[in-house]
Amino acid sequence: MLASIATHPGRAPAAADDTTPFAAWAVLYEEDTSDPDGRKLLGSVVWHTDTIKSAGAPDETIVLADVDIPKRFKMALTLKRNTDKVLPASHLIELTFVPVPGYIGQRINNVAGILTKSTEQGRGTALAGISARVTDNMFMIGLSNGQVDRQRNLQALKERAWFDIAIVDGNQHRAILAVEKGAAGDSAFTTALSAWGQE
C-alpha cells in the first residue's frame, strides 16, 4: 500500500504569505483496512534556516521544516549538527507532531526512521541512525557518526529531493509522511552544510 504513489493534480501548494518561503509538497500515505491502496492526504511544507545563539559559544545554524497535513497533524522538523561530544551522533533530527483535534490516529506513537529518495515515486534509502521516542508525539533521531555512514548521510541530505518518515499512530496503523525539499529546502540545506563546513 505505502509503495503506491501517484503524482499530484494541480499547482504546487502556496506559502502562507508573501514573506514566507514558497511551500513544497508534503503527502501522508495511510494504511486503510478497507482499501488496499490506502489513503493519500496532500499537505505542504515550508523549509528555512535559523541560528541558535548561545553565550560563550559560536552561533549554530539549524534547518527547520514546518509540515501541515490538514485534518491530521502539523509537524516541526529540526536538523542540527551535534555539538555534544557525549552523544555518538553526527547530527540530530528532532520531530514534533501536533495532532489536530479529532485526529483518528490519536497521537504518533513511533517513528521508525527516515529515508531519502530522488523522486516521490522512487525507492528510499534509510539514513543511518537511531530513532528514540522522547514523549508522545516527539522523537529524536541521532545520525550515525561512523565515517562511512556520516558521508553517506550527508550526501543523501544534500542531494536527495524527498524524505520519507515512517510513523505509527496511536491505533498502531502505519503511515508514510513524504516531504519534498523543493527550492526552499535545497537552499536551507546548502546554507546549513556550508555553515557547518560540510558541503
Side-chain angles (χ1 to χ4, degrees):
M1 179 280 295
L2 297 176
S4 175
I5 297 176
T7 56
H8 307 307
R11 62 187 178 86
D17 56 56
D18 291 340
T19 64
T20 57
F22 194 78
W25 287 110
V27 189
L28 183 66
Y29 300 95
E30 294 180 326
E31 283 187 328
D32 185 347
T33 55
S34 64
D35 185 347
D37 290 331
R39 284 186 298 265
K40 173 182 176 179
L41 296 94
L42 296 181
S44 61
V45 56
V46 176
W47 293 91
H48 54 106
T49 58
D50 202 352
T51 303
I52 298 176
K53 296 181 180 294
S54 301
D59 292 351
E60 187 67 22
T61 300
I62 62 174
V63 176
L64 301 164
D66 298 311
V67 176
D68 183 10
I69 303 293
K71 300 182 180 180
R72 292 299 186 265
F73 52 74
K74 295 180 185 293
M75 185 199 76
L77 179 153
T78 303
L79 168 67
K80 57 187 177 182
R81 182 175 56 169
N82 178 35
T83 57
D84 184 349
K85 295 182 179 179
V86 176
L87 291 176
S90 65
H91 300 76
L92 300 173
I93 300 174
E94 297 174 5
L95 304 171
T96 303
F97 295 84
V98 181
V100 303
Y103 170 46
I104 60 174
Q106 302 180 49
R107 62 189 176 276
I108 305 301
N109 259 0
N110 186 42
V111 171
I114 298 180
L115 292 79
T116 63
K117 54 189 183 180
S118 298
T119 65
E120 186 191 354
Q121 296 85 3
R123 182 176 295 274
T125 301
L127 291 173
I130 297 175
S131 175
R133 177 175 173 271
V134 180
T135 63
D136 277 353
N137 302 313
M138 185 176 180
F139 304 86
M140 180 176 289
I141 299 173
L143 297 185
S144 171
N145 200 32
Q147 183 175 354
V148 174
D149 287 341
R150 184 173 64 246
Q151 198 61 36
R152 287 176 178 169
N153 284 341
L154 283 171
Q155 185 174 1
L157 291 171
K158 180 179 180 180
E159 298 178 358
R160 300 290 177 87
W162 285 81
F163 297 93
D164 274 356
I165 303 171
I167 63 178
V168 179
D169 69 20
N171 294 322
Q172 300 304 308
H173 293 151
R174 296 177 303 165
I176 294 292
L177 176 59
V179 181
E180 182 186 23
K181 281 169 71 176
D186 282 336
S187 176
F189 276 89
T190 298
T191 297
L193 290 171
S194 177
W196 299 336
Q198 298 173 336
E199 302 96 324

